[in-house]
Every structure is written in C-alpha cells, then in structure tokens.
Amino acid sequence: MCFLKDISDYIRNGETTSQRLGLEIEHFIVDENGDQIKFDEISSLIEKVGNEIQASLHYIDGYVVGYNTDEYAISLEPSCQFEISISPYSDIKKIADVYRKFIALWEPIFTKRGYSIKTFGNLPKVELGIITPDDIPLSPKKRYEYMNRHFLKTGKYGKYMMRASASTQISIDYSSEEDMIRKIRLIQKLSPVFMILLESKTDENSTLKDAPDRPHLFRIQQWDDLDSDRTGFIPHSFDNDFGYDSLSNLIYSTSLILYPESDKTLYVADKSARDLFESLVIKEDDLSDKRKKQLIEHFISMGFFHLRVKTYIEIRVADSVPIDKALGYVALIKGLMYSKKNLDILEHALSDINSIEAINKAVDEIEKNGLNANIYHDKTAADWAEYIILLASNELDDEDKEYLKCVNYLE
C-alpha cells in the first residue's frame, strides 16, 4: 500500500505559506448560429498560435489539445470548450492582465473566422432546448469516448456535462493539513451561495426537461446526476478522521474509467487505482518518480467533486462567467479564505452546519428558489451573499474591493 502514502505525500507537499489564487474559465466558441467550433479547426488554430508564441504544445492521442506558457495554459474540454488556466498569483490585477492578454490574442482570431467567445454555464442552444447534447459531437480523444460510454450507465446528464457545460474554477493554497480541512469544510458550507452568485444562464426562466420546478443551477443539477461515485461534495469530509490520508484513500478507490499508458489511453471501466495495483496492471516497483506523479494527477483528475485537492484546493461550483465577474469571485474567495479573522467568524457562524446532507438541502432549496431560498438559520441565500461579501470587503485592500462590485448582486 505504499502508493497510498505516495498520494498522501503528494497532497502534503502542497503545503505553503503563499496565498495565491488560480483562475480557470471555460468558454464556448460559437458561430453566428450559436453552434460550437469543430475540433479539427480549433486544434489547428491552437497548434498554429502555440507555435507562433513559442508555447509548449500539449498532445493527447496524437491531437494538439492545448499549449502552456509561463503565465497560463490552454486546453480543450470534451466538446471544444476552450479553457484558460491562469497560473496562481497573489495579485488579482496580475490575473486580470494575463486574461486580457489571452483575449487580445484570441478574440481577433476567432472573430476573423466568424466566431465569438461566450461564457455561460450551459451552451445557450442546449439550455433553450433548440438542440440536445446528442446534436453535439465529442472531441476525438479516447478519454472522452470512454467517459461518454461510462456516464451513459451512471446518470441522466453525462451528455449535458460533457457537451454543453462550462465552469469557472478558483484554486487556493493551504498551509497545513488542519488549514486544508478547515477551508474545505467552510467552502463546502458556502458553496450553495457561491453557486447562485455565479449562476450564468441565457434565460432566467429556462429549466431542465426533467426538473420544471428548478429554474436555477442547471450545471449543478447536471453534475449531481452524473455519477454519484465521483461527484457532489467530498465524501466523509465532515468525519473526525478526515485529512490527507482519507483523501488519498478516496482517490485510490474511485473508479477510473480510463488509464493512460505510454502513448495510448485504455478503458478500465469501474476499476480503481487500487484494483489496477492489486491485479498488477500497474507494478509499483516499475514506476519512476515522474510516472508516479503522472499517475497520481490522473487519479485525482477522475474525481469530479465540487472541490478537488491536488497540491491546492480547487473550487468547482461556479458557472462560466465573464472575466469581470470571475475576478469579483476571486476577490470574494481571497477576502474570505485568506483572512484568519473571517475564517474564525465563518466557522462560528456555520458551526451547526456539519454534514453534506445539510449543505445539499441548501442547494436543493436554491435550485427551486434562487437567491430567495431559505437556507441556513432562517436566512435567505441573498442574506448570506450580502453577509459574506461584506466580510470579504472588510479584509481586502481598496484595489481588491473594487473587484467585489462585479460579484455583488446588489450593485
């Protein structure tokens, strides 16, 4: 079971006194009819642009699917959602500058070809029922072929998630195991509020066909009915023994669907990392340190929980939103999670919310009633939003406070 310790050590090695923030935004690249760009076209563009700016190209199954620079990385999601992952910085202005350079590079390229860049939680034509996910092709990567095959068996919304959803993700640092545990629990408790603050729809009255009484949190509804073994809030995260080792065990035990081996991707269905080691598909003694790291990162990537721990905490509950709102979200997280004072206040204020069931009940109410939903302590989601924005504002400098205005629904 040495590999379990390797996973635990990998997470432990993320400990840092830095207080950085990473930002990822997935975009839809659509033509004048609202249809997404095709894989061959965008893959060719990524290769061309990547070479022109002397970036490091990223290949999967022989296709160019992204590139890396010192400041950010580009990647393609299952149906050509175009994602930027900005390197972590402590300065929100730096994050803003990197994103705007990325847009200045790519927007003219897409515009010249008749495309525009859109940020929504769901592809508008799917949200509005004009097309269904069946009308959208997947990128020709074995990873997505295998995921699609798996999710057809596990829930109703695998096709929606893969083909028609997009998100905004923020990553933050932790300084110790105790700090990680504290932040994960508080972020999960606040996640229902983050979800509704960062909701991004085309039509506020649209609903999923199977949920006519739930006009809010489309993307969350889809992810929550995708595959219960790998989605939702982190299992056992409110148990007394939760920490690096229990996270490692979760990562080691979650079914993998697929496994990258050399230059190919294998379908392993419900087998977990544990199964692959025990059956000697993976032989621990044969693994170099580099290969161990690659495997750990792959195992982590196959858990799609609302929060994910790598060598940082990845917060995955927000829809894809325009950059100004995304930066407001970054400022909100910064003001809450990098303030000991606010961590103490929130821990006290939410001390009786100590189960995933209680948080899911709040999500359920928000799906039906939005900001008016009564969630914790007879307060609405709007009340809690106003409260946490005020807390964050109290701990941010004047420059960062300005960003908060773009996430404040009262502004």
Side-chain angles (χ1 to χ4, degrees):
M1 302 295 283
C2 293
F3 203 83
L4 260 177
K5 183 178 184 303
D6 290 332
I7 300 173
S8 186
D9 288 345
Y10 176 87
I11 298 171
R12 182 175 285 103
N13 287 337
E15 293 179 357
T16 177
T17 56
S18 299
Q19 295 189 337
R20 299 164 301 178
L21 301 126
L23 175 64
E24 300 181 15
I25 304 178
E26 297 170 348
H27 310 78
F28 295 113
I29 311 302
V30 298
D31 63 19
E32 61 182 4
N33 296 316
D35 295 318
Q36 288 166 268
I37 192 170
K38 299 295 188 290
F39 178 83
D40 288 346
E41 183 174 4
I42 196 167
S43 177
S44 296
L45 285 173
I46 291 171
E47 183 173 19
K48 179 176 182 294
V49 172
N51 283 326
E52 287 174 351
I53 65 174
Q54 298 183 314
S56 174
L57 297 179
H58 181 211
Y59 293 82
I60 291 182
D61 298 331
Y63 300 101
V64 176
V65 295
Y67 66 69
N68 290 69
T69 74
D70 291 338
E71 295 182 320
Y72 70 91
I74 290 298
S75 61
L76 289 180
E77 295 305 303
S79 284
C80 297
Q81 297 95 324
F82 190 57
E83 179 181 83
I84 178 172
S85 302
I86 299 174
S87 300
Y89 297 102
S90 301
D91 183 3
I92 301 178
K93 184 178 183 300
K94 175 64 176 178
I95 296 171
D97 289 344
V98 172
Y99 184 88
R100 291 186 171 117
K101 281 196 289 185
F102 150 77
I103 287 293
L105 172 64
W106 277 99
E107 192 166 48
I109 295 169
F110 288 133
T111 299
K112 184 177 180 180
R113 291 173 171 262
Y115 296 105
S116 57
I117 303 172
K118 302 293 184 184
T119 48
F120 291 102
N122 278 257
L123 183 69
K125 288 185 78 169
V126 171
E127 180 194 323
L128 300 175
I130 299 169
I131 63 173
T132 72
D134 289 319
D135 299 313
I136 304 172
L138 284 173
S139 300
K141 293 160 65 174
K142 285 295 183 183
R143 173 184 179 93
Y144 298 139
E145 175 188 334
Y146 297 153
M147 288 168 62
N148 187 61
R149 184 192 307 180
H150 179 83
F151 293 141
L152 289 175
K153 302 182 298 182
T154 58
K156 292 185 293 188
Y157 292 120
K159 291 180 180 180
Y160 282 82
M161 180 280 287
M162 295 184 70
R163 293 166 171 82
S165 73
S167 68
T168 299
Q169 300 172 17
I170 293 178
S171 61
I172 61 170
D173 290 319
Y174 50 90
S175 60
S176 65
E177 185 172 30
E178 293 74 21
D179 187 49
M180 181 205 72
I181 294 167
R182 188 185 203 195
K183 285 173 177 170
I184 283 175
R185 288 175 176 167
L186 283 175
I187 292 166
Q188 290 190 145
K189 294 176 186 185
L190 294 173
S191 284
V193 184
F194 297 151
M195 289 172 182
I196 190 61
L197 274 179
L198 279 295
E199 180 179 54
S200 182
K201 292 179 64 180
T202 307
D203 179 354
E204 64 179 17
N205 297 312
S206 58
T207 64
L208 289 167
K209 181 180 177 181
D210 297 327
D213 63 332
R214 294 171 183 269
H216 296 285
L217 309 187
F218 260 40
R219 195 182 58 83
I220 297 299
Q221 291 182 55
Q222 292 160 10
W223 279 85
D224 281 349
D225 200 345
L226 172 69
D227 179 354
S228 59
D229 288 341
R230 71 185 71 248
T231 57
F233 295 104
I234 299 174
H236 307 295
S237 48
F238 289 93
D239 291 358
N240 290 333
D241 63 350
F242 177 68
Y244 294 156
D245 289 344
S246 60
L247 273 172
S248 301
N249 190 60
L250 175 66
I251 293 163
Y252 198 59
S253 304
T254 299
S255 71
L256 290 174
I257 307 176
L258 54 99
Y259 170 64
E261 184 180 80
S262 300
D263 59 348
K264 58 186 176 181
T265 303
L266 305 177
Y267 181 59
V268 297
D270 293 328
K271 290 185 174 63
S272 65
R274 185 189 304 275
D275 296 327
L276 296 184
F277 275 98
E278 290 180 352
S279 62
L280 300 182
V281 171
I282 306 174
K283 298 177 181 178
E284 189 163 355
D285 291 343
D286 294 344
L287 298 177
S288 65
D289 289 343
K290 180 180 178 180
R291 181 59 175 159
K292 281 184 181 179
K293 182 173 182 287
Q294 289 172 340
L295 287 178
I296 290 169
E297 289 173 352
H298 171 64
F299 299 157
I300 291 172
S301 77
M302 297 313 296
F304 304 147
F305 303 105
H306 290 320
L307 276 72
R308 189 153 60 187
V309 181
K310 300 179 179 179
T311 50
Y312 47 84
I313 300 169
E314 187 178 78
I315 309 167
R316 302 160 47 84
V317 298
D319 286 352
S320 173
V321 293
I323 185 58
D324 287 345
K325 193 163 190 176
L327 294 171
Y329 184 33
V330 173
L332 179 62
I333 296 295
K334 180 179 182 179
L336 297 176
M337 293 297 118
Y338 286 147
S339 161
K340 184 181 183 304
K341 179 180 178 181
N342 278 342
L343 289 173
D344 289 342
I345 289 171
L346 289 167
E347 201 164 52
H348 176 74
L350 295 167
S351 60
D352 61 329
I353 309 301
N354 51 23
S355 71
I356 290 172
E357 290 75 19
I359 301 169
N360 279 332
K361 183 178 178 182
V363 174
D364 183 73
E365 290 299 318
I366 290 173
E367 287 176 357
K368 291 182 284 190
N369 299 302
L371 282 163
N372 294 320
N374 195 317
I375 54 171
Y376 304 142
H377 305 162
D378 288 327
K379 294 181 180 178
T380 65
D383 294 333
W384 281 101
E386 184 177 359
Y387 176 63
I388 63 174
I389 289 170
L390 177 62
L391 286 181
S393 178
N394 290 340
E395 292 296 290
L396 295 172
D397 62 29
D398 289 343
E399 185 176 16
D400 287 348
K401 282 181 187 179
E402 287 298 307
Y403 292 110
L404 270 184
K405 292 179 180 178
C406 294
V407 80
N408 189 348
Y409 73 99
L410 294 173
E411 292 287 333

